[in-house]
Amino acid sequence: MKFLLVEDYPPLRKNISTSIREQGWAIDVSADGEEGLWFAENNQYDAIVLDLMLPKLNGLQILSHLRTNKITTPVLILTARDAVEQKMQGLDQGADDYMTKPFFMGELISRLKALVRRSYQQSDPVVMVGDLSVDTSARRVCRSDREIDLSAREYALLEYLVRRAGKITTRTEIWDHVYESYGGASSNVVDVYVGYLRKKLHLPGLEPIIHTKRGQGYLVKAGSS
Amino acid sequence: MSRSLHFQLTAGILAAVLFIGLLAGWFAYAKIESRLYAEFDDNLKQRARSLSKLIEYEPEGIDVDWLEDHEDPPGHQEGTDFVHVVDPNGKTITVTDGIESFELWKKAGSFDSPAVVDLTLPDGESGRAVTMAFVPFYDPEVEEDEDDDEEGDDESEAGDEVVIPVDIEAPMFIAVAKRNTVAAPLASMRGLFWIVLLVAGAAVMAAIWLVVRKALGPLGALRREIGLLDDAVGHQRVLLKDPPKELIPVVEELNILLGRVENAMKREKRLTSGLAHELRTPVSGLLSSLEVTLSRPRENDAYRESAEECFEIAKQMHWLVTNLLSLSRIEAGNVEMQSDIVPLRESLQQWWSPFEAAAAQKGISIEWAIDPDAKLETDPEFLRVVFTNLFDNAICYAPENTAIRIEANLEGIWVENEAVDLSPEAVENVFEAFWRKPGNGNDASPHAGLGLNLCRRIAELLGGTITARIKEPGSIFQVRLSLS
């Protein structure tokens, strides 16, 4: 999963991005509204964490721009203002969720997970593909009830792929959704990590889950493609 | 016990009305009494004078005309009219119905100015008499007629013959008394007057009570309107429908006061909500830092970094709370002012020194233009708070690698820094509590926007002013403190 954080308060910016990265997710970070809007319009994100009181362009203006331009990326508003009017305004402008400061990081992470599930129309935190089960809430991966240990990056990649199970996912999409925009990753890195995943998931006696579609990308599906 | 306006007004007006009524009544009564008695007395005096004309001195004695044919004087009415004539020696010539014992002749006035005497008549009724001295007519050429000579005696009322040597100069006395027919009606009039006064007084009192109650009605309405104001006064005002002229200024002043209360409550609310809002940001910083640091085992460096970050945040909160406490104390009037001579150059440089490191980090240099003799007699601690906030503000908002200039002379003290995107309109608001430059996210700087507000309050407390402006060219933000 890849997220965008637009927050001008340095400690929060640092701690939220650390927390998200430690989940194995990718996160782009911006400290002002103009740059944040640019990021949101030019990259793909699974959700945006948006502070309202920002320099140059405030959160509501960013939201308005996004929705006017039909960018439907889920947005979670983060702000110190908890007046009902502000909440209503944010939600009416197109925000998907609202959290007031101060907040607990655990709650932010859970809400982001819920937003992602909703955007993939998967209300169940456990995603099943054949005998592969990915518990996105506990970050547990099992094949035939055998727990498989993945690194944070491997898990992030797998989570993204299983959410799109049954659809071909291009390398570009993987790159956009799993790696940070300035992370310097290349499609080769994508192939390498897919290789690592296959090694851990395609256990002897078990059917392959991740299939390569030449010239197109990868497909997660139970059984042979 | 507090006074009742209603009672006071009613009692006051009633007392005035009764007093005036009594005065007028007494005056009218006195006039009537005087008029009646004057008339009565005039009649008596007329009668006395008329009767005195019927009494003559004759050589053989005093001749009382009516005694020739009648016992009683003309016009006499039994029981109501009394006459007593006395000769110069005090001897009764004629008297009716026993008023002799009053010896009225001893109180006699003159013919022109008879004396008036009140008395109780023999029948117990009240009477009034006029008594005067008079000199009867005497015609020495009156001849005796043959009848008088033949009879050889004088007739008198009493049957006694009085033959006295005639001293034609000696006055006689006549007293004429009548039943006092004025006293009774006057007494009735007095009685009636008191009754009327009492009844009218009661009626007037009731009328005044009602009128005053109605007149004071708007006070009750005002009280009710004030009672409708709830604790959250807010924008509420007192509205009196059709107020009397006297209450209009009261209502106006009350509404002005409510306006001031509203502003004070708004200010307080702004301060409290501003503070709560401002605390959220550093608290969220602390919470997030600690939560993330503690979420998994980390290297020592990571813990150290987190602790340092939390320390910085805690310092910001400390600054905010300290400023707010200072502000509250000043607002509450809970401050003790000291007075000392503050040498400006020395003090300003001393107060700047804790900021040197922060300035150096941003590449900000400092220029001093302080008159070496510049001094101020003021509270040194409060002045320090002002400049600490001004320096902190300047370093925060000055762009990197620029200069801050501090100038001081007898005219004032200036702190200048370069400003970015600060409009002249925005400058008007810099001293408002929790105000931040528009477009500047409130989380970016640790400054709660209280610093300049506090500077203004302290400047006012010290009897001075603090102003800010944009100095062109170059968009320099300049704050000037001027203390008298």
mmCIF file of all heavy atoms in Angstrom, chain B residues 355-372:
data_model
loop_
_atom_site.group_PDB
_atom_site.id
_atom_site.type_symbol
_atom_site.label_atom_id
_atom_site.label_comp_id
_atom_site.label_asym_id
_atom_site.label_seq_id
_atom_site.Cartn_x
_atom_site.Cartn_y
_atom_site.Cartn_z
ATOM 1 N N PHE B 355 19.046 33.294 22.729
ATOM 2 C CA PHE B 355 18.555 33.058 21.372
ATOM 3 C C PHE B 355 19.690 32.970 20.355
ATOM 4 O O PHE B 355 19.447 32.720 19.170
ATOM 5 C CB PHE B 355 17.603 34.197 20.955
ATOM 6 C CG PHE B 355 16.331 34.207 21.755
ATOM 7 C CD1 PHE B 355 16.197 35.042 22.848
ATOM 8 C CD2 PHE B 355 15.274 33.369 21.425
ATOM 9 C CE1 PHE B 355 15.029 35.045 23.609
ATOM 10 C CE2 PHE B 355 14.105 33.377 22.166
ATOM 11 C CZ PHE B 355 13.980 34.206 23.262
ATOM 12 N N GLU B 356 20.898 33.167 20.834
ATOM 13 C CA GLU B 356 22.026 33.200 19.890
ATOM 14 C C GLU B 356 22.146 31.907 19.112
ATOM 15 O O GLU B 356 22.334 31.911 17.893
ATOM 16 C CB GLU B 356 23.337 33.472 20.643
ATOM 17 C CG GLU B 356 23.623 34.953 20.750
ATOM 18 C CD GLU B 356 24.716 35.258 21.761
ATOM 19 O OE1 GLU B 356 25.259 34.317 22.379
ATOM 20 O OE2 GLU B 356 24.999 36.455 21.941
ATOM 21 N N ALA B 357 22.012 30.792 19.822
ATOM 22 C CA ALA B 357 22.180 29.489 19.164
ATOM 23 C C ALA B 357 21.109 29.283 18.100
ATOM 24 O O ALA B 357 21.409 28.878 16.964
ATOM 25 C CB ALA B 357 22.115 28.380 20.205
ATOM 26 N N ALA B 358 19.866 29.588 18.444
ATOM 27 C CA ALA B 358 18.772 29.399 17.480
ATOM 28 C C ALA B 358 18.972 30.301 16.268
ATOM 29 O O ALA B 358 18.740 29.897 15.126
ATOM 30 C CB ALA B 358 17.434 29.709 18.153
ATOM 31 N N ALA B 359 19.451 31.524 16.513
ATOM 32 C CA ALA B 359 19.687 32.458 15.413
ATOM 33 C C ALA B 359 20.801 31.930 14.519
ATOM 34 O O ALA B 359 20.689 31.942 13.285
ATOM 35 C CB ALA B 359 20.026 33.833 15.969
ATOM 36 N N ALA B 360 21.841 31.447 15.153
ATOM 37 C CA ALA B 360 22.992 30.947 14.389
ATOM 38 C C ALA B 360 22.566 29.783 13.499
ATOM 39 O O ALA B 360 22.986 29.668 12.344
ATOM 40 C CB ALA B 360 24.093 30.521 15.350
ATOM 41 N N GLN B 361 21.697 28.941 14.041
ATOM 42 C CA GLN B 361 21.221 27.777 13.277
ATOM 43 C C GLN B 361 20.530 28.189 11.981
ATOM 44 O O GLN B 361 20.575 27.489 10.969
ATOM 45 C CB GLN B 361 20.210 27.017 14.147
ATOM 46 C CG GLN B 361 20.521 25.553 14.231
ATOM 47 C CD GLN B 361 19.554 24.804 15.135
ATOM 48 O OE1 GLN B 361 18.530 25.319 15.560
ATOM 49 N NE2 GLN B 361 19.900 23.578 15.409
ATOM 50 N N LYS B 362 19.854 29.331 12.019
ATOM 51 C CA LYS B 362 19.149 29.802 10.827
ATOM 52 C C LYS B 362 20.000 30.784 10.031
ATOM 53 O O LYS B 362 19.536 31.351 9.056
ATOM 54 C CB LYS B 362 17.840 30.498 11.231
ATOM 55 C CG LYS B 362 16.663 29.542 11.367
ATOM 56 C CD LYS B 362 15.372 30.268 11.702
ATOM 57 C CE LYS B 362 14.649 30.727 10.463
ATOM 58 N NZ LYS B 362 13.284 31.226 10.759
ATOM 59 N N GLY B 363 21.211 30.996 10.479
ATOM 60 C CA GLY B 363 22.060 31.944 9.773
ATOM 61 C C GLY B 363 21.605 33.376 9.967
ATOM 62 O O GLY B 363 21.875 34.253 9.152
ATOM 63 N N ILE B 364 20.911 33.613 11.079
ATOM 64 C CA ILE B 364 20.388 34.968 11.317
ATOM 65 C C ILE B 364 21.411 35.755 12.122
ATOM 66 O O ILE B 364 21.895 35.307 13.165
ATOM 67 C CB ILE B 364 19.057 34.900 12.072
ATOM 68 C CG1 ILE B 364 17.985 34.319 11.144
ATOM 69 C CG2 ILE B 364 18.620 36.285 12.564
ATOM 70 C CD1 ILE B 364 16.679 34.026 11.828
ATOM 71 N N SER B 365 21.730 36.962 11.609
ATOM 72 C CA SER B 365 22.681 37.813 12.320
ATOM 73 C C SER B 365 21.919 38.909 13.062
ATOM 74 O O SER B 365 20.769 39.180 12.768
ATOM 75 C CB SER B 365 23.649 38.449 11.328
ATOM 76 O OG SER B 365 22.896 39.191 10.383
ATOM 77 N N ILE B 366 22.622 39.519 14.037
ATOM 78 C CA ILE B 366 21.966 40.538 14.857
ATOM 79 C C ILE B 366 22.713 41.857 14.730
ATOM 80 O O ILE B 366 23.936 41.907 14.760
ATOM 81 C CB ILE B 366 21.879 40.070 16.337
ATOM 82 C CG1 ILE B 366 21.153 41.100 17.195
ATOM 83 C CG2 ILE B 366 23.243 39.771 16.932
ATOM 84 C CD1 ILE B 366 19.697 40.917 17.218
ATOM 85 N N GLU B 367 21.952 42.944 14.555
ATOM 86 C CA GLU B 367 22.529 44.289 14.497
ATOM 87 C C GLU B 367 22.038 45.075 15.685
ATOM 88 O O GLU B 367 20.845 45.155 15.926
ATOM 89 C CB GLU B 367 22.048 45.018 13.245
ATOM 90 C CG GLU B 367 22.684 44.553 11.962
ATOM 91 C CD GLU B 367 22.013 45.190 10.746
ATOM 92 O OE1 GLU B 367 21.445 46.318 10.871
ATOM 93 O OE2 GLU B 367 22.031 44.549 9.690
ATOM 94 N N TRP B 368 22.960 45.685 16.387
ATOM 95 C CA TRP B 368 22.596 46.491 17.556
ATOM 96 C C TRP B 368 22.772 47.972 17.250
ATOM 97 O O TRP B 368 23.812 48.387 16.745
ATOM 98 C CB TRP B 368 23.482 46.141 18.752
ATOM 99 C CG TRP B 368 23.362 44.720 19.211
ATOM 100 C CD1 TRP B 368 24.215 43.705 18.920
ATOM 101 C CD2 TRP B 368 22.327 44.190 20.039
ATOM 102 N NE1 TRP B 368 23.781 42.548 19.509
ATOM 103 C CE2 TRP B 368 22.613 42.810 20.205
ATOM 104 C CE3 TRP B 368 21.200 44.718 20.649
ATOM 105 C CZ2 TRP B 368 21.811 41.968 20.956
ATOM 106 C CZ3 TRP B 368 20.397 43.870 21.403
ATOM 107 C CH2 TRP B 368 20.711 42.505 21.545
ATOM 108 N N ALA B 369 21.748 48.758 17.557
ATOM 109 C CA ALA B 369 21.866 50.225 17.431
ATOM 110 C C ALA B 369 21.253 50.808 18.687
ATOM 111 O O ALA B 369 20.158 51.367 18.680
ATOM 112 C CB ALA B 369 21.130 50.701 16.181
ATOM 113 N N ILE B 370 21.993 50.637 19.778
ATOM 114 C CA ILE B 370 21.431 51.063 21.068
ATOM 115 C C ILE B 370 22.240 52.207 21.630
ATOM 116 O O ILE B 370 23.456 52.111 21.793
ATOM 117 C CB ILE B 370 21.425 49.897 22.073
ATOM 118 C CG1 ILE B 370 20.637 48.725 21.479
ATOM 119 C CG2 ILE B 370 20.813 50.332 23.394
ATOM 120 C CD1 ILE B 370 20.513 47.550 22.398
ATOM 121 N N ASP B 371 21.546 53.276 21.920
ATOM 122 C CA ASP B 371 22.141 54.439 22.550
ATOM 123 C C ASP B 371 22.699 53.990 23.909
ATOM 124 O O ASP B 371 21.949 53.464 24.744
ATOM 125 C CB ASP B 371 21.029 55.485 22.736
ATOM 126 C CG ASP B 371 21.548 56.807 23.258
ATOM 127 O OD1 ASP B 371 22.641 56.828 23.875
ATOM 128 O OD2 ASP B 371 20.842 57.812 23.068
ATOM 129 N N PRO B 372 24.008 54.165 24.148
ATOM 130 C CA PRO B 372 24.600 53.649 25.391
ATOM 131 C C PRO B 372 23.985 54.245 26.655
ATOM 132 O O PRO B 372 23.993 53.632 27.706
ATOM 133 C CB PRO B 372 26.083 54.023 25.292
ATOM 134 C CG PRO B 372 26.212 54.905 24.122
ATOM 135 C CD PRO B 372 24.992 54.817 23.283
#
